[in-house]
Amino acid sequence: MNGGSGFLRTAMEPDAIERQLERDLRAVPYIVGVNGHMGSRFTSDPQAMRTLLGARASAGSSFSTARPVPSR
């Protein structure tokens, strides 16, 4: 799946996720949160979500997902 240049992928190292997220957030002025809307692969990956949520918590914003994550 090609999500574009700002797409976060589970194969990314934690520091790469943080750098990409920072670039993405700088591109959207006045952002207050992020949304997972491309499916559940990223949201079902514990390492990726720890990285994402840790970065978002330090910035004081929220995360939501538009699609439920299936239980395994």
Side-chain angles (χ1 to χ4, degrees):
M1 175 182 295
N2 182 357
S5 63
F7 198 69
L8 298 177
R9 292 174 173 79
T10 57
M12 298 169 85
E13 294 294 325
D15 61 325
I17 291 173
E18 291 173 0
R19 285 192 312 271
Q20 183 60 60
L21 182 59
E22 182 60 32
R23 283 190 296 268
D24 294 344
L25 296 174
R26 280 195 313 261
V28 182
Y30 311 110
I31 194 166
V32 296
V34 294
N35 182 338
H37 64 278
M38 294 290 289
S40 61
R41 180 176 289 170
F42 195 92
T43 57
S44 65
D45 184 293
Q47 170 85 23
M49 286 304 295
R50 272 192 298 276
T51 301
L52 174 70
L53 295 175
R56 296 312 312 135
S58 66
S61 65
S62 63
F63 173 82
S64 67
T65 184
R67 204 180 271 190
V69 176
S71 57
R72 293 181 180 203

